[in-house]
């Protein structure tokens, strides 16, 4: 299995000695290129901490993390520019779309490739192509306030994909959506993962989408346990794929 993400025995503690608090006690995870996996667990179990560590938002205490063939952390960061790492290798999708309200849809998506050094014309063309692929190209000149919730989430997915990062981290991306739109978002993520060979981790409490994952990681007290999806998950996923995808 070609690795998009490899997390090995990642530990995160806050404080030292007798006052140390363990947020992660030895998390392990492997996600293949083109695969979407679910990360579940109770509140306070370490889900968000693990995502923040992999996303280079906070530094682990120990362990190893690899993205593709690049070792990014081994008991210390192996990358000098963490901002460039986040920009070039990791896409983020959040519970709220967090679109920039004074930029239109195209510029919201084109901003990252512009920051990466691409010309405005090239960045906007790449943004429009991706918006077309996600069926929101007709909203390219709209402002975020003019979009429905489902359209905003599609634009946030386009923004996460525009630099074609090998990894996307999605934190509760379907929480504000109803059942049909939630399943539509997961279908889109699976399609984009296959098209761009992106490894995607979806943190979720959403019971509507949990049966769609072929593999799950359950995290409790900072320790991850891999779970193969139940047989009903595959059937639910197939059914979800035939549902209408209107947002």
């Amino acid at each position: 299995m070609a690795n998009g993400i490899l997390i090995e025995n990642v530990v995160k503690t806050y404080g030292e000695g007798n006052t140390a608090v363990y947020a992660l006690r030895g998390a392990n995870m492997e996600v293949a290129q083109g695969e979407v996996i679910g990360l579940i667990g109770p509140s306070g179990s370490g889900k968000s901490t693990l995502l923040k560590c992999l996303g280079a938002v906070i530094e682990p205490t120990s362990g190893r993390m690899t993205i593709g063939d690049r070792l990014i952390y081994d008991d210390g960061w192996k990358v000098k520019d963490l901002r460039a790492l986040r920009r070039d290798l990791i896409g983020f999708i959040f519970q709220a779309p967090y679109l920039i309200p004074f930029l239109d849809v195209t510029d919201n998506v084109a901003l990252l490739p512009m920051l990466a050094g691409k010309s405005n014309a090239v960045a906007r063309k790449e943004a429009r192509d991706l918006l077309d692929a996600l069926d929101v190209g007709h909203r390219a000149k709209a402002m975020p306030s003019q979009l429905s919730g489902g359209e905003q989430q599609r634009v946030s997915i386009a923004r996460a994909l525009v630099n074609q990062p090998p990894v996307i981290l999605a934190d509760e991306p379907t929480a504000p959506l109803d059942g049909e739109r939630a399943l539509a978002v997961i279908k889109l993520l699976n399609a984009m993962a296959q098209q761009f060979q992106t490894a995607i981790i979806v943190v979720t409490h959403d019971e509507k989408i949990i049966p769609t994952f072929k593999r799950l990681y359950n995290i409790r007290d900072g320790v991850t346990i891999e779970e193969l999806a139940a047989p009903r998950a595959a059937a639910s996923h197939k059914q979800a794929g035939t549902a209408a995808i209107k947002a």
Side-chain angles (χ1 to χ4, degrees):
M1 178 166 66
N3 287 322
I5 301 167
L6 183 60
I7 296 171
E8 301 173 274
N9 199 33
V10 167
V11 174
K12 176 61 180 176
T13 60
Y14 294 97
E16 298 179 354
N18 294 333
T19 62
V21 175
Y22 280 83
L24 296 172
R25 294 178 177 272
N28 294 277
M29 181 179 296
E30 187 174 4
V31 188
Q33 294 173 337
E35 183 181 26
V36 181
I37 66 102
L39 178 59
I40 62 174
S43 296
S45 60
K47 300 187 302 298
S48 294
T49 299
L50 183 57
L51 239 60
K52 289 175 182 177
C53 288
L54 183 60
V57 176
I58 61 176
E59 183 173 356
T61 302
S62 63
R64 288 167 55 95
M65 300 187 298
T66 305
I67 293 178
D69 58 359
R70 186 172 183 182
L71 179 65
I72 66 168
Y73 185 88
D74 187 3
D75 293 338
W77 293 113
K78 299 302 179 183
V79 179
K80 292 183 179 179
D81 190 341
L82 294 181
R83 287 190 300 177
L85 169 70
R86 290 189 291 268
R87 182 191 66 214
D88 299 336
L89 296 186
I90 304 167
F92 296 90
I93 303 171
F94 304 100
Q95 179 174 335
Y98 294 120
L99 301 178
I100 299 173
F102 53 83
L103 296 181
D104 68 18
V105 164
T106 299
D107 283 346
N108 261 281
V109 178
L111 181 60
L112 277 178
M114 288 181 191
L115 292 174
K118 293 185 178 179
S119 70
N120 291 2
V122 170
R124 286 190 172 94
K125 182 182 185 306
E126 291 178 352
R128 287 193 296 268
D129 289 345
L130 197 48
L131 291 167
D132 285 339
L134 291 167
D135 294 327
V136 282
H138 62 294
R139 306 293 271 157
K141 295 182 179 180
M143 303 303 288
S145 61
Q146 297 173 309
L147 304 181
S148 70
E151 287 172 337
Q152 289 185 26
Q153 199 65 312
R154 285 169 181 260
V155 175
S156 73
I157 292 171
R159 180 182 58 193
L161 286 166
V162 69
N163 279 346
Q164 296 188 21
V167 168
I168 287 180
L169 307 177
D171 193 0
E172 300 281 2
T174 64
L177 304 177
D178 61 28
E180 183 177 352
R181 289 187 174 94
L183 291 172
V185 165
I186 295 303
K187 184 179 180 182
L188 282 172
L189 290 178
N190 276 282
M192 294 298 102
Q194 288 293 312
Q195 180 177 346
F196 296 104
Q197 284 300 286
T198 304
I200 301 179
I201 299 175
V202 179
V203 168
T204 188
H205 286 101
D206 191 343
E207 294 183 358
K208 299 184 297 293
I209 67 169
I210 287 174
T212 70
F213 297 106
K214 294 180 180 178
R215 287 198 306 131
L216 293 168
Y217 280 89
N218 193 336
I219 185 167
R220 290 181 178 275
D221 298 323
V223 178
T224 52
I225 301 172
E226 182 183 359
E227 298 180 357
L228 296 179
R232 64 183 179 85
S236 297
H237 187 45
K238 183 177 181 181
Q239 183 178 5
T242 62
I245 309 297
K246 295 182 179 179

